[in-house]
Amino acid sequence: MYLVIDVGGTYTKYGYYNKEGHCFENGQFETIKTNRMAFYESLEKLVQQNTKGIALSMPGILNAQTGEMLAVTLLPFLNHHNIKEELQERTKLPVSIQNDAKCAALGEMWQGSLQNMSNAFMLVFGSGIGGTIIMNGELVDSPRHKAGEVGCLLAPETLDYSSVYNISKSDSGIALIRDLSQAIGCEPDGQIVFQKLFDHQEARQIFQAFCRRIAMLIYNLDYLFDLDAVSIGGGISAQEILISTIQEEFQKMRDLHQEDDHQPIIQACTFLNGANLLGALHYYLKTIEKN
């Protein structure tokens, strides 16, 4: 049995899997954000007697081969630490680590929406925005492991560029739910927000603008990478209205600005919020057990 852990900016999700990708038990808890030792202790508590190894999905820029965390703004106390080595030392178990968006892409390539796709992009909406490029059926990495990190992109707020915003901070899933809940006047709970969304004009406008920005991002990514498909993951990907509105906004742009006849499929990923876990397991099996 394998312990698979997906660390997020708000919650840490975990599950116990066999090598076929079947999950026997899962759960979640609030991500520890105080210090490195407390963070590791929260993961160690999940190890059971028959755990063969640990597959870890993490936000941020990291070297999956060495295990070093290069940059993670959500958990800065982990920066420049070798999480793989440190967790192996503490648990005496083999550990793999991979970026969360890359894990989502791997899970979908293994058993989900990106099977047999040649060129694709994975977008994951959570506390930030994760991105992964797939070219010729393989994940794209780069010497500094930044390729695909669309959440780090900047966009102008004013015409003279005197003010810019970070896409990951302004257009993440958490940010969308926060902005909608403030407009509606309810608690920032995704289920409640989407139930009440179309009863409030201001919230509808915020939602429409969000989907338009994501559609433009996808439009630009398609011309950079000539995509067959874009899969959208994270908690809000379960909301059908999100996917359909992004599709509608993308089609509006295509109708006005298209330069060719091809356009990518835009879809929710098959495993939604669980794609990161499945992909982390797949990465462990490929790199640790080499199956």
Side-chain angles (χ1 to χ4, degrees):
M1 183 182 72
Y2 305 92
L3 170 60
V4 187
I5 304 170
D6 175 36
V7 177
T10 305
Y11 292 102
T12 293
K13 298 182 287 294
Y14 64 91
Y16 301 96
Y17 286 76
N18 65 14
K19 65 173 53 181
E20 285 74 39
H22 175 72
C23 183
F24 300 100
E25 178 187 349
N26 59 59
Q28 69 176 30
F29 56 89
E30 290 189 11
T31 297
I32 301 300
K33 301 179 182 179
T34 51
N35 61 72
R36 187 163 49 94
M37 291 303 104
F39 172 80
Y40 282 141
E41 288 169 4
S42 73
L43 305 188
E44 288 178 81
K45 291 177 183 178
L46 302 175
V47 176
Q48 297 185 358
Q49 187 173 3
N50 59 342
T51 301
K52 294 180 62 176
I54 301 171
L56 193 59
S57 163
M58 287 285 301
I61 299 172
L62 59 89
N63 186 327
Q65 291 185 328
T66 66
E68 183 183 5
M69 180 58 68
L70 304 175
V72 55
T73 55
L74 297 173
L75 302 168
F77 53 79
L78 294 176
N79 283 339
H80 306 298
H81 281 273
N82 193 308
I83 299 173
K84 178 178 179 176
E85 289 183 357
E86 292 176 359
L87 193 57
Q88 282 181 163
E89 178 63 27
R90 294 175 70 97
T91 63
K92 310 305 179 187
L93 290 169
V95 174
S96 69
I97 182 171
Q98 181 56 281
N99 167 269
D100 52 2
K102 287 184 172 64
C103 284
L106 285 168
E108 293 295 310
M109 291 168 71
W110 184 23
Q111 297 186 16
S113 63
L114 296 177
Q115 291 180 88
N116 304 315
M117 292 290 182
S118 179
N119 289 9
F121 204 94
M122 185 83 206
L123 280 173
V124 181
F125 292 91
S127 298
I129 301 178
T132 300
I133 309 163
I134 299 161
M135 296 292 286
N136 301 316
E138 299 289 339
L139 292 190
V140 173
D141 203 353
S142 59
R144 287 160 293 278
H145 313 288
K146 296 195 295 185
E149 289 288 346
V150 293
C152 295
L153 298 178
L154 300 178
E157 287 187 315
T158 58
L159 292 177
D160 61 1
Y161 296 97
S162 61
S163 178
V164 299
Y165 69 91
N166 176 276
I167 287 179
S168 196
K169 293 178 180 177
S170 298
D171 289 337
S172 68
I174 293 293
L176 175 63
I177 298 303
R178 178 201 63 211
D179 293 345
L180 292 176
S181 67
Q182 289 174 355
I184 293 169
C186 67
E187 61 183 286
D189 179 282
Q191 294 296 328
I192 295 172
V193 163
F194 277 97
Q195 286 174 2
K196 296 177 177 290
L197 175 61
F198 289 96
D199 294 331
H200 295 79
Q201 183 177 0
E202 183 184 354
R204 290 199 307 271
Q205 291 172 342
I206 292 170
F207 177 69
Q208 192 87 16
F210 172 89
C211 292
R212 187 174 298 125
R213 292 192 298 273
I214 301 307
M216 182 174 290
L217 175 62
I218 293 171
Y219 183 95
N220 290 334
L221 289 171
D222 180 39
Y223 276 101
L224 283 172
F225 302 114
D226 191 10
L227 301 174
D228 300 312
V230 175
S231 277
I232 297 173
I236 63 171
S237 64
Q239 300 293 336
E240 293 181 6
I241 189 63
L242 174 76
I243 307 301
S244 63
T245 306
I246 292 173
Q247 290 169 338
E248 290 168 5
E249 292 299 323
F250 181 84
Q251 190 59 56
K252 291 177 186 177
M253 289 180 206
R254 289 283 302 177
D255 291 343
L256 289 170
H257 303 292
Q258 72 182 52
E259 301 286 344
D260 69 308
D261 294 330
H262 165 77
Q263 62 189 62
I265 300 165
I266 300 173
Q267 60 195 348
C269 68
T270 302
F271 295 99
L272 304 174
N273 218 18
N276 299 18
L277 290 167
L278 189 66
L281 171 66
H282 187 54
Y283 184 75
Y284 177 97
L285 296 174
K286 284 177 54 177
T287 56
I288 304 298
E289 297 199 353
K290 296 181 171 50
N291 286 352

